[in-house]
Amino acid sequence: LQDVRGISDTEIRSIMQARSERAFTDVEDFMRRTTVSRPVTEGLAHAGAFDSLAPHRRQHLYAAMTSEVVREGEQLTLGDGRGQAPTYDGGFEFKDYADAEVVRAELEVLGMDASRHIVSFFEPLLADLGVTRAKDLRRVRGGTRVMVAGVKVASQTPAIRSGQRIIFLTLDDATGPVEVTVFQSVQPKVVKTVFHGYALAVVGELRRTGVGGISVVAEDVWDLSALHRARAEGRLREAVTNQVADPHAGTGPRTLWHASPGSAG
């Protein structure tokens, strides 16, 4: 509950207190017995807090948006004091959230993908690219050129004594963290993607740092969502190779495609 965007400690306490007395029966019951604001209730419904109550999340969200209830302790209106639930004539059927919508809602409300890792939506793309997963990096020799990918969970640009600007990234690929170093020499062509993309693919040299430490020194960076769209349109190879054309080589783009177990390269 503390991760719900916009919720207050007072609202959390009211939920815990009401829930300790008896289970909530529906969204209207929740709104009546707690002090949670309507926007936060809508967020809770959007993120799946009422999923155990039939039938569908969209109907819970509809109820959160439209119900007019009298909260316990407030002055009652004429009638039974329960307030007015939204009228629904059954003229259309609420469709359940698709998997991608579920994860998107969790990110919007909670700031985390609670039910399914974002990378799972990119698995076919990662296989086509021949991505090396975090769990396998320790078996790769230092100096090997690899492609890694994942959700960006951290980025830092600490002050360096030399005065250079170095970007340190941490990606999460659902099997573990991947540390990426982006030196100043490659930043002009990748910095926009690095800071504006939420899921990234990186090609670079694997370096071992200290005891058990591993980092990938970036040569190029792609927005994973853009590559996903390119794959759907049948132009993945073009999207990858066009970005890494070497202006100094004079012989066209460098080759990124490589063969590996599970790779279509």
Side-chain angles (χ1 to χ4, degrees):
L1 286 173
Q2 290 177 332
D3 291 320
V4 173
R5 195 179 305 278
I7 200 168
S8 68
D9 290 341
T10 300
E11 290 172 323
I12 292 176
R13 285 194 294 270
S14 77
I15 295 172
M16 302 303 292
Q17 177 62 38
R19 182 62 181 82
S20 69
E21 295 170 358
R22 63 182 184 278
F24 298 113
T25 58
D26 52 34
V27 176
E28 291 82 8
D29 181 47
F30 174 87
M31 297 176 72
R32 186 163 45 249
R33 293 168 50 208
T34 70
T35 62
V36 179
S37 68
R38 187 183 298 276
V40 172
T41 303
E42 292 172 6
L44 287 167
H46 187 42
F50 304 105
D51 279 4
S52 61
L53 308 176
H56 294 303
R57 188 178 301 194
R58 294 189 198 281
Q59 190 157 336
H60 300 317
L61 182 56
Y62 176 78
M65 296 171 66
T66 61
S67 294
E68 296 296 337
V69 299
V70 176
R71 297 186 185 275
E72 290 185 355
E74 293 182 352
Q75 183 176 356
L76 300 181
T77 57
L78 292 177
D80 62 5
R82 297 187 63 190
Q84 182 64 45
T87 58
Y88 172 59
D89 60 11
F92 63 93
E93 181 180 353
F94 288 101
K95 293 184 178 180
D96 210 355
Y97 279 35
D99 288 348
E101 291 177 302
V102 168
V103 175
R104 188 179 301 117
E106 292 168 352
L107 291 172
E108 291 173 358
V109 178
L110 305 174
M112 69 180 76
D113 43 348
S115 62
R116 180 174 173 181
H117 200 288
I118 291 176
V119 169
S120 65
F121 294 99
F122 297 109
E123 291 289 354
L125 170 64
L126 302 191
D128 283 353
L129 292 172
V131 165
T132 302
R133 307 304 287 265
K135 64 182 179 65
D136 300 319
L137 284 175
R138 293 191 181 279
R139 296 195 293 268
V140 178
R141 294 177 58 183
T144 303
R145 197 162 181 258
V146 296
M147 178 177 276
V148 296
V151 177
K152 183 178 65 180
V153 296
S155 62
Q156 303 177 60
T157 54
I160 303 296
R161 183 174 298 178
S162 65
Q164 286 195 29
R165 183 193 192 201
I166 301 177
I167 304 171
F168 297 97
L169 300 175
T170 301
L171 306 180
D172 178 1
D173 73 354
T175 73
V178 181
E179 303 300 331
V180 176
T181 304
V182 186
F183 285 106
Q184 191 166 314
S185 58
V186 300
Q187 289 176 20
K189 65 176 178 178
V190 305
V191 69
K192 182 177 180 180
T193 302
V194 165
F195 287 118
H196 291 278
Y198 76 94
L200 306 173
V202 179
V203 68
E205 180 183 313
L206 185 140
R207 291 187 183 177
R208 298 190 175 278
T209 56
V211 180
I214 293 176
S215 178
V216 176
V217 178
E219 297 174 14
D220 222 319
V221 181
W222 295 262
D223 185 318
L224 210 54
S225 295
L227 293 183
H228 182 71
R229 290 191 297 271
R231 180 180 184 273
E233 296 167 2
R235 53 179 186 84
L236 176 58
R237 185 183 296 268
E238 176 187 355
V240 172
T241 56
N242 279 356
Q243 184 168 317
V244 296
D246 188 345
H248 303 294
T251 57
R254 298 191 301 266
T255 300
L256 275 185
W257 237 250
H258 56 87
S260 64
S263 169

